[in-house]
Amino acid sequence: MISRKNASISKFIIHKVGNKFNDTKNAFSEKLVDFDEASYDLMLPFLLRPFGSVVQSYRFSHHANISLNEINSYSTQIFNDEEAFIDVSKHIVTHLFEQSTSAQIKTGDVLVVMFEGIEFNEITTNALGIFKIESKVNFFQTYLENNSYDVLVQKGISSKKVDKGCLILNQTDTEGNIILSVDNNSYDAQYWLNQFLNIKYADDANNHTQQYIELCKDFSTEILKTTYGAQEQNTFLARTIDFFKENEVVNIERFKDELFEEDKHKNLFEDYKKTFEDEKNLVLRNQFDVAEAVVNKEKKKFKTDIKLDTNIQIKLDIDAPDASAEYLERGYDDEKKMHYYKVFFNTEG
């Protein structure tokens, strides 16, 4: 995640990208935007705010040679020669246009921006931002005519969130330039990440933690809930989060020993892990450092409600991994021919 407290915009240009499938063309600007104070003060946080909560980063990828990645090449040109900014920004839009391989991909405004003073991992750097605005919102505009006010509807860009955006930091590690990306219209995520940017997750603690939590979440849904029920699923998820919170390093063998009492459950997990790796085309590490920010973010996404067909829901606390096993009992009533849950407590809240 970045800090934008000292960030500023040094160059900003707007182009429009079309779609070859519906015969809409690109339209290019020839000059940089010259902001007035009000527009600038609204635009800067609008563009950078989404990256304040991004914890995972990407790196450029290419099947043959990383230098052949188009956006890698264009960003390098701009970082090395800012006088080329306008011309290269047009090439970026043309490359985006060429990736519109479906009529479903939307046209829109493309904002190409140079930022100064971006703080990332205690390092201050400049960055190239590329943003695609796909959705326009209706708003009312009032105006004075013949001594009376009237109203009309206009379309504009919402200042609440960007549709798609990336920040390419002028900062590298052993894998190359550090890249952050956001996508609020993820119906065509592959088009933005894989085809246009051609990026992959960085090989770091954030990615390892994310992948393993995704494995556990999918295992809980597809195996535990299906076989043993929602209570077993939620207990496993709570214990998974608890394990990640209490350990700075995850060792997979120790993880299985702590979460599973029986070998058959360990084997189920190991078999599912192999399937998960094959489907995702990845290999999970047997030991890795825990990224606390990823754990906290993913924890918020977990749904630990048990929804029953009798219009009753039982909400379990993800931060209390043993509560479900200790205070919630599942059974079957032969007289009613129905399953039931028995909940133990001292006082009502």
Side-chain angles (χ1 to χ4, degrees):
M1 58 186 70
I2 66 162
S3 171
R4 56 185 172 88
K5 62 181 180 181
N6 296 316
S8 62
I9 295 172
S10 60
K11 287 183 171 62
F12 184 105
I13 196 165
I14 303 173
H15 305 296
K16 289 189 178 290
V17 65
N19 185 310
K20 64 179 74 175
F21 282 85
N22 55 30
D23 202 31
T24 51
K25 306 299 183 183
N26 298 333
F28 298 109
S29 297
E30 299 299 332
K31 294 182 180 180
L32 302 178
V33 172
D34 184 15
F35 286 102
D36 58 42
E37 185 177 354
S39 298
Y40 180 89
D41 289 344
L42 191 61
M43 182 63 73
L44 181 60
F46 165 65
L47 296 178
L48 292 181
R49 188 183 302 114
F51 300 101
S53 58
V54 171
V55 295
Q56 285 188 272
S57 63
Y58 296 85
R59 302 296 181 272
F60 285 119
S61 179
H62 195 275
H63 68 276
N65 190 312
I66 196 68
S67 63
L68 299 177
N69 181 300
E70 288 88 346
I71 300 302
N72 180 32
S73 175
Y74 295 145
S75 60
T76 299
Q77 290 180 52
I78 290 176
F79 289 140
N80 292 337
D81 179 14
E82 290 196 17
E83 295 302 316
F85 178 81
I86 294 178
D87 288 339
V88 176
S89 72
K90 296 177 184 178
H91 296 324
I92 290 172
V93 173
T94 300
H95 175 58
L96 181 61
F97 176 81
E98 291 301 324
Q99 309 316 308
S100 59
T101 55
S102 166
Q104 301 300 316
I105 294 174
K106 297 178 181 179
T107 61
D109 297 339
V110 179
L111 319 179
V112 184
V113 188
M114 275 297 296
F115 296 99
E116 306 288 339
I118 299 291
E119 296 179 24
F120 179 82
N121 287 348
E122 300 181 352
I123 296 173
T124 301
T125 185
N126 58 338
L128 175 66
I130 305 170
F131 303 86
K132 185 184 179 191
I133 308 299
E134 299 174 327
S135 305
K136 299 291 181 72
V137 297
N138 293 326
F139 64 92
F140 292 109
Q141 178 67 53
T142 59
Y143 63 97
L144 182 64
E145 186 176 26
N146 298 327
N147 295 321
S148 295
Y149 281 98
D150 208 339
V151 65
L152 57 83
V153 175
Q154 294 182 321
K155 282 187 176 291
I157 298 172
S158 170
S159 62
K160 292 184 178 180
K161 65 180 182 180
V162 299
D163 291 311
K164 289 174 166 58
C166 74
L167 271 186
I168 304 164
L169 305 186
N170 191 14
Q171 178 70 33
T172 62
D173 58 14
T174 56
E175 295 183 83
N177 284 85
I178 298 165
I179 306 158
L180 307 177
S181 181
V182 294
D183 188 352
N184 287 304
N185 289 346
S186 56
Y187 69 95
D188 56 354
Q190 300 308 308
Y191 147 78
W192 180 254
L193 293 176
N194 293 350
Q195 295 168 269
F196 171 58
L197 295 173
N198 193 1
I199 54 179
K200 62 181 181 180
Y201 277 123
D203 185 22
D204 59 11
N206 289 325
N207 186 35
H208 303 151
T209 303
Q210 175 82 30
Q211 289 175 344
Y212 205 79
I213 290 178
E214 285 186 10
L215 162 67
C216 294
K217 185 165 56 176
D218 289 357
F219 172 75
S220 75
T221 300
E222 297 184 22
I223 304 299
L224 293 182
K225 184 177 181 180
T226 302
T227 308
Y228 301 104
Q231 181 184 2
E232 192 74 23
Q233 175 196 24
N234 292 326
T235 299
F236 171 77
L237 288 176
R239 288 178 176 172
T240 296
I241 291 298
D242 194 55
F243 184 90
F244 274 80
K245 285 165 57 180
E246 292 186 355
N247 292 275
E248 294 182 355
V249 176
V250 166
N251 178 279
I252 290 185
E253 293 304 318
R254 189 154 59 86
F255 174 84
K256 290 190 294 185
D257 287 341
E258 288 198 19
L259 266 75
F260 303 111
E261 295 180 1
E262 299 183 33
D263 287 342
K264 67 176 182 180
H265 294 154
K266 293 180 185 179
N267 293 335
L268 277 175
F269 183 79
E270 191 60 38
D271 290 342
Y272 187 83
K273 175 175 169 288
K274 292 175 183 176
T275 302
F276 181 88
E277 290 175 320
D278 290 341
E279 291 179 352
K280 302 287 185 179
N281 192 27
L282 56 83
V283 176
L284 296 173
R285 294 196 177 190
N286 291 324
Q287 184 165 301
F288 55 88
D289 293 334
V290 172
E292 183 180 357
V294 174
V295 176
N296 291 335
K297 188 171 185 178
E298 289 303 305
K299 183 181 76 170
K300 297 175 183 177
K301 299 178 184 179
F302 283 0
K303 304 296 183 183
T304 56
D305 295 357
I306 300 176
K307 296 182 179 180
L308 308 177
D309 59 3
T310 50
N311 299 318
I312 294 174
Q313 293 186 32
I314 303 172
K315 184 175 178 61
L316 305 176
D317 189 345
I318 193 68
D319 290 317
D322 297 323
S324 173
E326 190 171 354
Y327 302 120
L328 191 64
E329 181 181 308
R330 190 175 190 270
Y332 185 81
D333 188 294
D334 290 321
E335 185 176 336
K336 290 189 174 183
K337 307 297 182 185
M338 297 174 70
H339 296 283
Y340 66 83
Y341 278 106
K342 184 187 292 185
V343 182
F344 298 90
F345 64 95
N346 292 312
T347 58
E348 293 186 30

